[in-house]
Amino acid sequence: MNLQQPLKKLRIVQTLQVIILRLRIKAQLGRTKINKIIKTIGSLVSEIQHSAAGITTLAANIKNIESVLDVYIAIAEQLNNLVFRFTL
């Protein structure tokens, strides 16, 4: 019986087992990195949503300021008209 064949097959099997183990380790590291990326993206989404809410509030405040400015402009125009009448 030739012992070389079984030893050769055993070495091939062992080599394949080592390769499979390394691939499993790399796959786990990849999963870990992907999970970190997913968490980071989730944080970014949360920050963007928070920023969007702030921008919406800012837009509403700007509209309120515009309304106040419109009142000031109307008052200034009235005062301007009064001053103009008094100078005649």
Side-chain angles (χ1 to χ4, degrees):
M1 181 180 212
N2 186 0
L3 288 177
Q4 292 298 328
Q5 280 302 86
L7 286 176
K8 196 173 190 180
K9 286 181 181 179
L10 180 61
R11 278 189 226 119
I12 291 171
V13 168
Q14 287 174 336
T15 302
L16 288 173
Q17 287 174 335
V18 169
I19 290 170
I20 290 169
L21 180 61
R22 287 180 181 167
L23 288 173
R24 284 184 177 157
I25 291 169
K26 287 183 180 186
Q28 183 58 42
L29 291 173
R31 277 189 215 103
T32 301
K33 287 181 182 180
I34 288 171
N35 287 336
K36 284 181 182 179
I37 290 169
I38 289 170
K39 286 180 183 179
T40 300
I41 289 171
S43 295
L44 289 172
V45 167
S46 177
E47 287 296 320
I48 290 169
Q49 289 171 337
H50 182 72
S51 295
I55 290 169
T56 300
T57 301
L58 179 61
N61 288 340
I62 288 171
K63 288 215 181 263
N64 290 338
I65 291 169
E66 284 178 341
S67 297
V68 170
L69 288 176
D70 287 341
V71 170
Y72 285 148
I73 289 170
I75 291 170
E77 288 173 350
Q78 291 293 331
L79 285 172
N80 209 13
N81 287 337
L82 284 173
V83 169
F84 182 70
R85 284 186 194 152
F86 281 119
T87 57
L88 292 179

